[in-house]
Amino acid sequence: YRLILQDIITKVEEVSHCPLESSASRYECEAAALTATSGNVVGPLQEVDKKNMPSGCSMWQGDRTVYFNANTHGEKSDCFTSICQLNPSKMPVSFYHEHDVIIFVLNASDSSAPLSKTHLQGVVKVKEVSNCPSGLELDQEECIFAGLTDGGYLLRDVLQVQNRSDVPSGCFVRVDDNNLYFNTNPNPNVASLTQYASICQLSSEMPN
């Protein structure tokens, strides 16, 4: 079967911009920040054009003022939390369940989808592997986007980047809590681990 997701509005820390251009727009920014923080922000929205803070919609952690930064070359800052809005009307998303594997599909052919930074045709969760097949790995930005859209969580609003030999390489989730991780070790020394699921790109066409 196929499911269309509702909007996913979330906070992401330690990034220079929301993954795959998923920042809340200037018009949506203040409302998205209110949703992501359960109303714990200060208005009105401040519009700026600066390089020393994340691009797009964000919140200053000091007094929790909401900003929209029009500078597309913004930088990561420990003082700001990005406000991201994964909106199905802009980024068509669906799930397929096939052979007990959840497949997340990005309709990258839709001209209305702002997906210029990705060539993902879809993402698949795979259990009991130490790494994705060569060429089908996700980078950290793609990992955040795919993981959040697939119902994963960012522990303390941050992608947990590690370098370990006892967990899968690249993008993966813990099955018990669905927390999202990224292991920079390309050659982990692990057996098949049922408590983790790697998130990989698809290599074949999706079912109709």
Side-chain angles (χ1 to χ4, degrees), residues 16 46-56 58 67-76 80:
S16 62
Q46 304 296 307
E47 297 185 37
V48 296
D49 188 338
K50 297 182 178 181
K51 190 177 180 181
N52 62 347
M53 61 184 289
S55 300
S58 67
Y67 289 83
F68 187 85
N69 184 15
N71 193 313
T72 58
H73 300 287
E75 298 174 347
K76 179 171 66 175
F80 288 88

Side-chain angles (χ1 to χ4, degrees), residues 1 6 41 47 49 70 94 115 121 123-124 129 180 194 206:
Y1 57 87
Q6 301 297 315
V41 295
E47 297 185 37
D49 188 338
S94 59
L115 300 173
Q121 296 301 312
V123 179
V124 62
V129 296
L180 194 59
T194 58
M206 297 305 306

Side-chain angles (χ1 to χ4, degrees), residues 147-208:
L148 288 175
T149 309
D150 190 22
Y153 300 96
L154 294 177
L155 189 63
R156 295 183 292 275
D157 301 323
V158 178
L159 176 64
Q160 302 299 304
V161 179
Q162 309 170 332
N163 189 308
R164 295 172 55 179
S165 60
D166 59 341
V167 297
S169 179
C171 186
F172 69 95
V173 293
R174 287 179 57 97
V175 174
D176 58 350
D177 57 18
N178 225 21
N179 281 332
L180 194 59
Y181 296 84
F182 192 94
N183 183 18
T184 59
N185 186 339
N187 299 299
N189 184 24
V190 295
S192 298
L193 300 173
T194 58
Q195 66 265 44
Y196 303 111
S198 292
I199 303 179
C200 310
Q201 291 190 52
L202 287 173
S203 61
S204 59
E205 292 184 2
M206 297 305 306
N208 295 322

Side-chain angles (χ1 to χ4, degrees), residues 15-142:
V15 294
S16 62
H17 57 276
C18 287
L20 306 185
E21 303 177 12
S22 61
S23 173
S25 73
R26 177 166 61 91
Y27 305 103
E28 301 164 323
C29 182
E30 190 170 357
L34 285 167
T35 299
T37 64
S38 299
N40 191 16
V41 295
V42 176
L45 176 69
Q46 304 296 307
E47 297 185 37
V48 296
D49 188 338
K50 297 182 178 181
K51 190 177 180 181
N52 62 347
M53 61 184 289
S55 300
C57 185
S58 67
M59 177 188 68
W60 186 39
Q61 296 175 3
D63 64 4
R64 305 185 74 81
T65 299
V66 182
Y67 289 83
F68 187 85
N69 184 15
N71 193 313
T72 58
H73 300 287
E75 298 174 347
K76 179 171 66 175
S77 171
D78 293 338
C79 299
F80 288 88
T81 299
S82 290
I83 306 296
C84 306
Q85 181 168 344
L86 293 92
N87 188 328
S89 68
K90 295 180 179 178
M91 293 175 287
V93 177
S94 59
F95 284 92
Y96 292 91
H97 289 241
E98 185 175 276
H99 308 302
D100 296 324
V101 175
I102 298 176
I103 300 174
F104 157 86
V105 181
L106 260 176
N107 185 6
S109 63
D110 191 311
S111 60
S112 67
L115 300 173
S116 59
K117 290 199 65 177
T118 180
H119 299 292
L120 295 179
Q121 296 301 312
V123 179
V124 62
K125 274 184 175 179
V126 186
K127 293 183 180 180
E128 300 185 23
V129 296
S130 60
N131 55 275
C132 295
S134 179
L136 300 180
E137 307 91 343
L138 303 180
D139 63 26
Q140 292 183 30
E141 185 176 346
E142 293 166 338

